[in-house]
Amino acid sequence: MKSLKDRLRLSTFAVLAAASLATFGFAADDAAAQERKSIKIGYAVSKTGANAGGAAMTTIPNYKLWLADVAANGGLELPDGTKLPVEVIEYDDRSSAEEVVRAVERLAGQDQVDFILPPWGTGFNLAVAPLFDRYGYPQLAVSSVTDKAPEFVKRWPKSYWFLGGGRDYAGALAKMVDSQTEAGVINSKVAMISVADGFGIDLVNAARPAFKEAGIEVVMDRTYPVGTQDFTTLLKEAAASGADTFVAFSYPPDTFALTQQSQVQAFNPKVLYLGVGAGFPTYGRNLGPKAEGIMTLGGIDIKNERNMAYRERHKALNGEYPDLWGSVITYASLQMLQESIKRVGLDREAVAKELSTGTFDTVLGETKLENNQLRQLWLLGQWQNGNLVGVEPADRPGASKPVLPKKPWQ
């Protein structure tokens, strides 16, 4: 097997000396902390391989922004008010489950970092969860959609799940279709396709009972292999199905291909719901007015000033706006870690307890986990006036009303 070669020490973020270590007389732990020169933060993430696109959109830019913000603030603050710079140890997991496991073991065992940030993706977070638990590290599993989070929290008490589960998103979609059916905007038929991989399987397995419970008829239910590029046949079948709603639980390349090929075929369902990628900034920018009315997971409240300020800072540092689903949550999770360290220090057990029980002021607003899960989520968004706004939960402050039917392609 190949050894890891891409270890990078990003000294950029370790430039601030502990000049503020001027207060003495603390307990043993505080004294030990004062002898430190830095706090080690490590992570393994997909910089190459199949997962690199998702990691480069949702995870890596937010790690960079947070580390830059920490450095600009003088380092990570400890309970006694001192601040220490962050030393970063980074590995490329090459989109390999074996590599990400090996890298996390190295971070914990050889590098002995103080905290480990999570990898990108549901599968990789599940792959490393036993290691985080074994070595006692809190795991901020942000880019993970799973209905099994309550079960995982029991198994790994220091794991935290931020993106909800398939039943959450499918339930919100079914609720919207049902309400629009009752309003006479659309019929009660749905044509549905899903990628035959983790995300697609989880979502479609949740959508089937959700639609059935809502009295919605699924007239087409097809899966397709990962890597599919030609959706011509599936789109023609959907157009002929008589359904006003077309749902695709798709990965980013599929989402972009489905959008383009729907335009070519003049496929104009009244509800067009696509999967991961429809919330990418490039999606809305490339489509322009043609994105109007398209629905997907996530969304934001554009009146949330903290979120909008975060988006501008993200663009200033990374040259691109963040995606409109998981990015802001990734950054908020790092703020929670930072604040926990400030409150209780570097003891990972105490930090984990603070993450579980504390209330935090983040770019999302007041943030508190429930049973180690973030439950205040935008589960359904729609492109409206150039923004992907949150429409479900409809009773959440800041929610927008859906605008349907979607206008035909122009």
Side-chain angles (χ1 to χ4, degrees):
M1 295 187 179
K2 296 180 179 179
S3 62
L4 293 168
K5 299 178 180 178
D6 299 319
R7 178 183 180 189
L8 302 175
R9 292 183 181 272
L10 304 184
S11 58
T12 303
F13 300 109
V15 297
L16 296 174
S20 59
L21 292 176
T23 306
F24 299 94
F26 297 101
D29 287 347
D30 297 320
Q34 290 184 30
E35 296 174 358
R36 284 171 166 268
K37 300 300 181 184
S38 66
I39 296 172
K40 285 186 178 181
I41 301 287
Y43 57 86
V45 71
S46 302
K47 302 189 75 173
T48 57
N51 295 340
M57 176 58 64
T58 304
T59 303
I60 297 172
N62 287 295
Y63 286 179
K64 290 181 177 178
L65 178 60
W66 178 68
L67 290 165
D69 287 347
V70 168
N73 191 44
L76 282 174
E77 186 173 350
L78 298 174
D80 63 6
T82 60
K83 295 180 180 180
L84 291 175
V86 173
E87 178 186 359
V88 178
I89 300 177
E90 176 192 67
Y91 293 112
D92 177 8
D93 65 33
R94 303 172 185 169
S95 300
S96 162
E98 290 183 356
E99 290 286 1
V100 75
V101 167
R102 199 154 34 234
V104 169
E105 284 183 324
R106 189 170 183 176
L107 288 166
Q110 179 174 317
D111 301 322
Q112 297 185 335
V113 298
D114 294 293
F115 293 94
I116 303 176
L117 305 185
W120 180 87
T122 304
F124 278 23
N125 271 286
L126 293 179
V128 300
L131 290 177
F132 274 73
D133 182 69
R134 182 191 308 166
Y135 289 105
Y137 286 93
Q139 182 183 5
L140 306 169
V142 178
S143 56
S144 303
V145 177
T146 175
D147 286 320
K148 294 184 177 180
E151 175 186 330
F152 294 152
V153 171
K154 293 180 181 177
R155 188 183 308 172
W156 306 305
K158 295 186 183 68
S159 67
Y160 306 87
W161 307 86
F162 287 79
L163 272 195
R167 285 195 291 269
D168 296 323
Y169 294 98
L173 175 60
K175 180 181 176 183
M176 183 277 298
V177 173
D178 184 45
S179 65
Q180 294 295 312
T181 299
E182 287 191 357
V185 178
I186 58 176
N187 65 27
S188 60
K189 297 179 179 178
V190 170
M192 181 168 62
I193 67 172
S194 55
V195 62
D197 196 43
F199 170 79
I201 294 170
D202 285 350
L203 267 292
V204 78
N205 284 341
R208 288 170 182 143
F211 285 141
K212 183 178 182 180
E213 184 176 350
I216 298 164
E217 182 183 4
V218 178
V219 296
M220 173 185 169
D221 185 356
R222 300 281 185 270
T223 60
Y224 61 88
V226 175
T228 298
Q229 297 180 339
D230 186 354
F231 294 92
T232 303
T233 302
L234 288 172
L235 291 174
K236 287 183 177 178
E237 184 179 352
S241 70
D244 282 345
T245 299
F246 176 69
V247 173
F249 297 120
S250 50
Y251 280 151
D254 326 340
T255 297
F256 282 82
L258 283 163
T259 304
Q260 182 184 40
Q261 292 169 30
S262 293
Q263 294 176 69
V264 171
Q265 294 189 33
F267 175 51
N268 292 303
K270 293 181 178 178
V271 176
L272 178 58
Y273 178 99
L274 301 173
V276 184
F280 287 5
T282 50
Y283 187 87
R285 185 169 59 244
N286 292 344
L287 278 181
K290 293 180 181 178
E292 291 295 301
I294 294 175
M295 293 183 149
T296 185
L297 307 85
I300 63 171
D301 172 11
I302 61 174
K303 295 180 181 177
N304 183 328
E305 295 181 355
R306 294 178 184 177
N307 192 342
M308 301 309 283
Y310 148 78
R311 294 179 60 76
E312 294 300 328
R313 290 192 297 105
H314 184 288
K315 183 183 179 184
L317 182 74
N318 295 300
E320 177 62 284
Y321 284 112
D323 75 84
L324 294 142
W325 182 21
S327 274
V328 68
I329 298 174
T330 300
Y331 187 84
S333 73
L334 299 173
Q335 288 183 303
M336 293 170 64
L337 175 63
Q338 180 178 351
E339 180 63 19
S340 295
I341 293 171
K342 178 181 176 180
R343 293 175 185 174
V344 301
L346 299 175
D347 182 280
R348 290 193 285 271
E349 192 72 33
V351 168
K353 182 178 180 181
E354 190 63 25
L355 287 167
S356 295
T357 60
T359 300
F360 302 89
D361 186 15
T362 75
V363 288
L364 299 172
E366 185 176 279
T367 306
K368 183 175 178 59
L369 301 182
E370 301 175 25
N371 190 25
N372 287 15
Q373 300 160 70
L374 182 65
R375 302 301 300 159
Q376 292 181 319
L377 295 164
W378 289 113
L379 301 173
L380 178 65
Q382 183 180 38
W383 283 98
Q384 296 180 8
N385 300 316
N387 296 298
L388 182 63
V389 297
V391 298
E392 285 285 351
D395 58 354
R396 181 179 174 183
S400 298
K401 294 183 179 179
V403 179
L404 294 169
K406 174 189 171 298
K407 295 180 180 178
W409 302 109
Q410 297 178 354

